[in-house]
Amino acid sequence: MFLLRSFIYLLCLAAVASLIQLEGFELQQNALYSEETLTEHMQDVLTFLSCILFFYASRINFQLRISAILLAALSAMMFVREFDTYLDLYLFDGAWQSIVYSILAGVLVYLIAKRGSIFNSLKAYSLTPSYRVYLSGMVTLLAFSRIMGKGAFWHSVMGDDYVRVVKNIVEEGVETLGYTLIFISAIELVLICRKKMAKNHKHCTDEATQ
């Protein structure tokens, strides 16, 4: 089963890379890799699905509930941030900031109420395979993509031949990789929670039959 999941994740990453390339093959020199592109829409979908999966995990595992809710909230804020153009256009200017601050406020209130259980939940999550994949995704997203997307670096490398779309491809491509890893970590967490739920159910059934 582990090898099968690894192969599926490999195919998933290959598919994401192919979709990132699709715009370039289709539009060639006209490709922009800006807000209105398949790559950006993939980021929206990945963050939304990650949020749903983390929230689902929080509903089926009590021990990891706090950790899963925090991860769901982070994914929700990432989704809102990636969706900012539409929110500002169809709601009001600065809508995404208001929504993010509201989510953050809700999380802080929740953490205050659950402050006695936070450490144990985070410790339990840190021992799961999902944590390692999630950490890799966050490092890729928040650190590596930002460093690789620095305009000064690309101006230095290209000089007078600087082409913004090249910088965009690298930055958005690495960002999408980070979001994909976070999505995979959400899948792994759900699988872990479901496995524990099935084990607990079996244990309760065995005790009832004795």
Side-chain angles (χ1 to χ4, degrees):
M1 184 60 71
F2 172 76
L3 291 177
L4 176 60
R5 290 211 310 273
S6 299
F7 181 68
I8 292 173
Y9 294 150
L10 175 62
L11 292 179
C12 179
L13 288 169
V16 168
S18 298
L19 289 173
I20 292 172
Q21 293 179 349
L22 186 61
E23 181 184 355
F25 285 128
E26 288 291 325
L27 300 179
Q28 299 178 5
Q29 287 83 6
N30 294 320
L32 297 176
Y33 287 87
S34 57
E35 294 292 332
E36 297 290 335
T37 63
L38 177 60
T39 301
E40 285 286 342
H41 293 324
M42 274 199 299
Q43 294 175 5
D44 296 337
V45 171
L46 288 168
T47 51
F48 179 77
L49 291 178
S50 297
C51 177
I52 297 299
L53 289 173
F54 282 131
F55 183 74
Y56 173 66
S58 75
R59 307 309 301 169
I60 62 176
N61 189 285
F62 178 77
Q63 184 184 29
L64 297 172
R65 180 164 297 169
I66 295 176
S67 297
I69 287 178
L70 285 175
L71 296 174
L74 283 172
S75 296
M77 288 188 281
M78 290 177 189
F79 170 73
V80 172
R81 177 63 184 89
E82 292 297 331
F83 213 63
D84 61 340
T85 301
Y86 298 98
L87 292 172
D88 289 345
L89 180 63
Y90 294 108
L91 292 180
F92 56 88
D93 187 38
W96 75 269
Q97 291 100 324
S98 300
I99 296 173
V100 166
Y101 289 144
S102 298
I103 295 172
L104 185 59
V107 170
L108 290 176
V109 171
Y110 176 77
L111 290 178
I112 291 172
K114 300 290 184 179
R115 57 187 177 275
S117 306
I118 296 173
F119 177 77
N120 289 335
S121 181
L122 292 177
K123 182 179 179 181
Y125 178 64
S126 69
L127 299 176
T128 66
S130 171
Y131 168 75
R132 294 187 283 273
V133 180
Y134 185 85
L135 186 61
S136 299
M138 288 298 286
V139 170
T140 301
L141 178 65
L142 299 180
F144 194 81
S145 69
R146 296 294 180 267
I147 294 173
M148 290 303 298
K150 281 188 175 182
F153 167 71
W154 292 102
H155 278 288
S156 177
V157 172
M158 295 184 179
D160 294 336
D161 297 321
Y162 172 76
V163 180
R164 182 179 176 81
V165 69
V166 175
K167 180 193 84 72
N168 289 349
I169 291 171
V170 174
E171 184 175 9
E172 297 300 330
V174 175
E175 274 190 22
T176 308
L177 171 61
Y179 285 127
T180 305
L181 291 174
I182 291 172
F183 174 63
I184 290 173
S185 76
I187 295 174
E188 284 293 302
L189 184 59
V190 168
L191 293 175
I192 291 167
C193 291
R194 288 189 62 84
K195 183 177 180 180
K196 288 185 177 181
M197 183 174 64
K199 185 178 180 180
N200 292 337
H201 178 73
K202 183 177 183 300
H203 180 70
C204 292
T205 303
D206 291 342
E207 286 186 344
T209 56
Q210 289 178 357

